Amino acid sequence: MSGTSAEGPGALVAAGGDGDGDSTETSSPARRRRRPLRTSLLVVVAIAVAAAAGLAATGALGGDSTDSASAAPSGPPATTKVKRTTLSSTETVDGNLGYGDTSTVQAPASSGSESGGGSDSGQSAQSPQSGQASQGDSSGDSGSAGIVTWMPSEGDTIKRGDAVYSVDQQKVPLLYGSTPFYRTLQSGVEGDDVEILEKNLSKLGYDGFTVDEEFTSGTAEAVQEWQDDLGREETGTVKSGDAVIADGARRVADTKASPGGALSGELLSWTATERVITVDLDVEYEDSVKKGTKASITLPDNSSAEAEVTDVGTPTTPKSDSESSDSGESEDSDTPTLPVELKVDDQKKLGNYQAASVDVELKDETRENVLAVPINALVAEGGGGYAVEVVTSKGSEYRPVKVGLFANSLVEVSGKGITEGLVVGVPK
């Protein structure tokens, strides 16, 4: 990535062929064409190099002189001072605002597949994020599974205790946890799923039991109260299809079942409730991002929000040439990318956008307590390297400098005679 001491301004100019940026659209989360990483310093650097070329043409740069400081022909048109500061380099990439990955809620397996006695043998396949047991043999009697009588709407937020759907006029609520209910929970049963049930009952305001891995008579009484509040039969036991388990509140993305239909197959899809930013980063920059990397998000209306990298995925595998040509995809699809997810703590900063293309400015490298000058204060020396025009009471002279980090229209400089407060020349 840019911002290292190994490259001077000229190298940055050569790398900025696609710095014009792309327009954004607010109506769709579809990915825009990925553009190369860019830096806002390109134009300033180009001015600096052009100014250096002009000086070279007039002989102001002193040719191949080996003097440590060559005399300037006249005073600069304007001046500034070398200052001590903290520099942070950034890279701007394309990102997409949305609600993250989508998972599905499946209809529960038929009651005949449950173990009843509490063994694990009755566990069925499950959606990793929905936590709901999936449908068993769909060729069986669909009527025995019940009839869907209510479904939520797209965009609804479902929290702990809220109904995910209703079957035969009985609500099936959402509970928080990591393990789905795969067996009948009743007195005498022990396990992690029992603890998940008891934690949720406690959070919902029920008591009379100890939150642990043992289902006791106190747990059964609390379950009966819960079932009464849900309008369900007060059995004191919980079957696998009596609740949907997820790791937190969910937002409905799409409903697939309709009231009046049989309870089978996929019922709905949902996401997390908080909006996140996703980026497909060029894989060559894998070492430049990690969890905790800070970033600034620019929305289509030019408002901004602070974000932080929360997840860095696995690089994609590039397709072969034949696969790309067969699918009709562009050559860009062959470039491996690194999926990166960022979280915005202050969701209000994202306004009313549900999905949008955004600019993500990643904060890459930081240098503290360094000397810096504006980039256009650099003058290219005839023998290579850079200098600054130092202005003193006796006139002006060019002093060689070693350049470091480029950031925010400034460049880190060091060298003999380069001190804080030193007056240097800059173009008007």
Side-chain angles (χ1 to χ4, degrees):
M1 298 177 74
S2 65
T4 65
S5 59
E7 298 185 26
L12 288 176
V13 172
D18 195 15
D20 56 335
D22 293 329
S23 61
T24 60
E25 297 184 13
T26 60
S27 61
S28 170
R31 289 176 47 198
R32 296 174 297 168
R33 175 180 62 83
R34 185 175 66 254
R35 61 177 179 261
L37 298 178
R38 61 187 184 277
T39 174
S40 60
L41 307 181
L42 302 181
V43 175
V44 181
V45 177
I47 293 173
V49 174
L55 288 172
T58 60
L61 300 183
D64 295 328
S65 173
T66 57
D67 295 339
S68 62
S70 56
S74 60
T79 61
T80 189
K81 291 183 178 180
V82 176
K83 66 178 182 178
R84 190 170 295 279
T85 186
T86 296
L87 296 181
S88 294
S89 64
T90 61
E91 300 294 350
T92 301
V93 297
D94 291 332
N96 289 296
L97 171 66
Y99 285 91
D101 293 336
T102 300
S103 58
T104 60
V105 175
Q106 302 277 354
S110 63
S111 59
S113 67
E114 291 187 9
S115 61
S119 70
D120 293 349
S121 61
Q123 185 169 2
S124 59
Q126 63 183 18
S127 171
Q129 292 196 13
S130 72
Q132 175 65 35
S134 63
Q135 178 68 14
D137 184 4
S138 59
S139 64
D141 182 8
S142 62
S144 64
I147 300 298
V148 176
T149 53
W150 176 84
M151 291 293 295
S153 300
E154 181 179 338
D156 284 354
T157 297
I158 302 175
K159 299 180 180 179
R160 189 200 315 263
D162 293 344
V164 178
Y165 60 91
S166 291
V167 56
D168 295 340
Q169 293 288 42
Q170 292 189 337
K171 297 178 180 178
V172 179
L174 171 65
L175 300 181
Y176 295 172
S178 57
T179 304
F181 294 162
Y182 58 91
R183 57 180 178 171
T184 297
L185 302 181
Q186 56 191 355
S187 294
V189 172
E190 298 182 7
D192 293 342
D193 46 356
V194 173
E195 186 173 14
I196 288 174
L197 172 63
E198 292 181 338
K199 282 182 178 179
N200 279 276
L201 291 174
S202 178
K203 290 290 186 181
L204 291 170
Y206 302 97
D207 54 21
F209 57 90
T210 301
V211 176
D212 54 20
E213 295 187 354
E214 183 178 359
F215 196 115
T216 64
S217 59
T219 307
E221 291 179 4
V223 168
Q224 288 178 321
E225 292 183 38
W226 176 50
Q227 291 171 329
D228 181 49
D229 291 338
L230 290 172
R232 307 188 66 156
E233 182 182 359
E234 300 172 38
T235 63
T237 62
V238 178
K239 295 181 179 179
S240 63
D242 287 348
V244 178
I245 307 299
D247 57 7
R250 311 299 287 172
R251 178 182 180 275
V252 178
D254 182 34
T255 55
K256 303 180 182 299
S258 300
L263 183 68
S264 63
E266 293 184 1
L267 302 179
L268 59 87
S269 60
W270 57 13
T271 65
T273 57
E274 287 192 342
R275 290 165 289 179
V276 296
I277 310 296
T278 55
V279 174
D280 288 332
L281 191 66
D282 287 347
V283 74
E284 61 185 289
Y285 303 112
E286 181 176 1
D287 293 337
S288 301
V289 291
K290 60 182 179 180
K291 287 185 178 180
T293 298
K294 303 298 182 182
S296 294
I297 309 300
T298 301
L299 297 162
D301 62 1
N302 289 324
S303 62
S304 61
E306 294 303 307
E308 180 178 314
V309 174
T310 55
D311 184 65
V312 179
T314 302
T316 59
T317 302
K319 297 179 180 179
S320 65
D321 293 339
S322 59
E323 289 177 324
S324 298
S325 59
D326 291 343
S327 63
E329 295 180 0
S330 65
E331 187 175 338
D332 289 344
S333 65
D334 292 341
T335 304
T337 58
L338 182 71
V340 177
E341 185 173 282
L342 302 96
K343 178 181 178 181
V344 177
D345 286 331
D346 189 353
Q347 292 278 301
K348 292 182 180 179
K349 291 285 189 179
L350 298 175
N352 294 322
Y353 292 107
Q354 302 298 306
S357 296
V358 298
D359 287 336
V360 181
E361 188 178 77
L362 295 169
K363 298 178 181 178
D364 179 21
E365 184 178 3
T366 297
R367 300 277 184 88
E368 298 180 352
N369 197 33
V370 297
L371 298 177
V373 297
I375 293 177
N376 59 352
L378 291 179
V379 178
E381 291 192 305
Y386 298 93
V388 292
E389 185 178 358
V390 177
V391 180
T392 66
S393 58
K394 297 180 180 180
S396 63
E397 62 181 24
Y398 292 104
R399 292 183 188 176
V401 293
K402 179 181 179 180
V403 299
L405 182 66
F406 290 80
N408 303 323
S409 300
L410 298 174
V411 57
E412 176 187 357
V413 293
S414 60
K416 183 177 180 180
I418 304 301
T419 58
E420 183 179 0
L422 188 67
V423 178
V424 297
V426 291
K428 280 187 177 179

